[in-house]
Amino acid sequence: MCGRMAITLPHEAVVEMFGAVPANDLPDTPNYNVCPTVNVPVVTSDDGVRRLRPMRWGFIPHWYKKPNGGPLLINARAETIAEKPAFRAACRERRCLLPVTGFYEWYRDGDAKPLPWFIQRQDGEPLVMAGIWQDWEQDGAVISTCAIVTTGANEAMARIHHRIPVILTAEDWPLWLGEAGKGASKIMKSAPEDALLFHRVGTEVNSNRAAGATLLDPIA
């Protein structure tokens, strides 16, 4: 599961990291509280040319009559992505990468108030999540949309939540983007146990209106 994230990377750094051509209308960064339905910077590959583009986080199936015409699809399960009508074509033809600083997850213990955690890479490098995308069109309006691919949590993540985004290393990027042939299904797996760093953050992030770098500050 991934329902909130932080994106603090300058676009110039992302462009250099992926060798991508940037769009002119990328969303502002840093954003320490990225919520569903907002635009996020996404890396795609078109005929071998990587592009950094803005996309709405919240995949819109082609049969929706309006953007909110059905459930909000921010995640796609790796186990069923190839069969689900909403996702199967995108899984084959339109895969993307979402480079972020990290993501938030909430630990729920019975009826107690959910407690937010921030998850990032252990080595401090950008965390690159697997995604799928498609353009949704209605009455001449086109919205580029995306969803994050998730899988079963590794043991470390399972202490907080049973799902985790599919996190890809640089070696995996060409295969996921379709630049290195077929076989992307084999990299839809959980991150190694030692790959991620977890820390508790304040409940301020429970509000989608919260902002600022202090949202990432660890608490005891």
Side-chain angles (χ1 to χ4, degrees), residues 94-210:
R94 295 182 299 276
R95 297 189 297 269
C96 61
L97 302 171
L98 290 87
V100 304
T101 306
F103 64 96
Y104 300 94
E105 191 53 82
W106 279 259
Y107 172 72
R108 291 165 171 82
D109 185 9
D111 295 329
K113 185 177 181 180
L115 299 175
W117 289 72
F118 187 69
I119 299 98
Q120 59 191 316
R121 276 182 51 146
Q122 183 81 246
D123 58 11
E125 292 296 310
L127 189 153
V128 180
M129 299 185 289
I132 55 173
W133 70 276
Q134 77 171 13
D135 289 336
W136 177 84
E137 184 173 358
Q138 187 73 23
D139 299 327
V142 178
I143 303 176
S144 295
T145 73
C146 66
I148 295 166
V149 181
T150 68
T151 190
N154 59 21
E155 185 175 347
M157 183 70 193
R159 293 193 288 267
I160 300 171
H161 196 274
H162 67 285
R163 302 292 295 176
I164 189 173
V166 171
I167 299 166
L168 302 178
T169 63
E171 292 76 17
D172 297 327
W173 299 344
L175 186 56
W176 187 253
L177 291 174
E179 299 167 345
K182 298 181 179 180
S185 61
K186 67 184 181 184
I187 56 176
M188 288 193 291
K189 57 188 179 182
S190 194
E193 294 295 334
D194 60 352
L196 301 176
L197 185 66
F198 306 78
H199 70 261
R200 273 270 287 116
V201 294
T203 55
E204 294 82 4
V205 76
N206 291 354
S207 169
N208 59 13
R209 295 185 296 273

Side-chain angles (χ1 to χ4, degrees), residues 2-101:
C2 180
R4 207 80 69 78
M5 51 193 173
I7 300 176
T8 67
L9 313 170
H11 295 315
E12 296 81 2
V14 178
V15 164
E16 182 175 354
M17 181 168 62
F18 290 96
V21 179
N24 294 324
D25 54 348
L26 293 167
D28 292 338
T29 59
N31 185 342
Y32 296 90
N33 190 9
V34 179
C35 302
T37 75
V38 305
N39 278 355
V40 294
V42 170
V43 177
T44 63
S45 182
D46 308 302
D47 296 324
V49 178
R50 293 182 180 179
R51 301 186 185 279
L52 184 63
R53 308 168 49 189
M55 291 191 183
R56 176 192 190 265
W57 180 23
F59 193 95
I60 307 177
H62 66 83
W63 59 82
Y64 280 21
K65 299 300 183 184
K66 52 186 179 179
N68 60 350
L72 180 60
L73 305 177
I74 60 173
N75 297 147
R77 295 173 68 94
E79 299 87 342
T80 58
I81 194 172
E83 288 81 38
K84 289 286 186 180
F87 301 135
R88 60 192 177 199
C91 179
R92 291 193 306 267
E93 304 165 7
R94 295 182 299 276
R95 297 189 297 269
C96 61
L97 302 171
L98 290 87
V100 304
T101 306

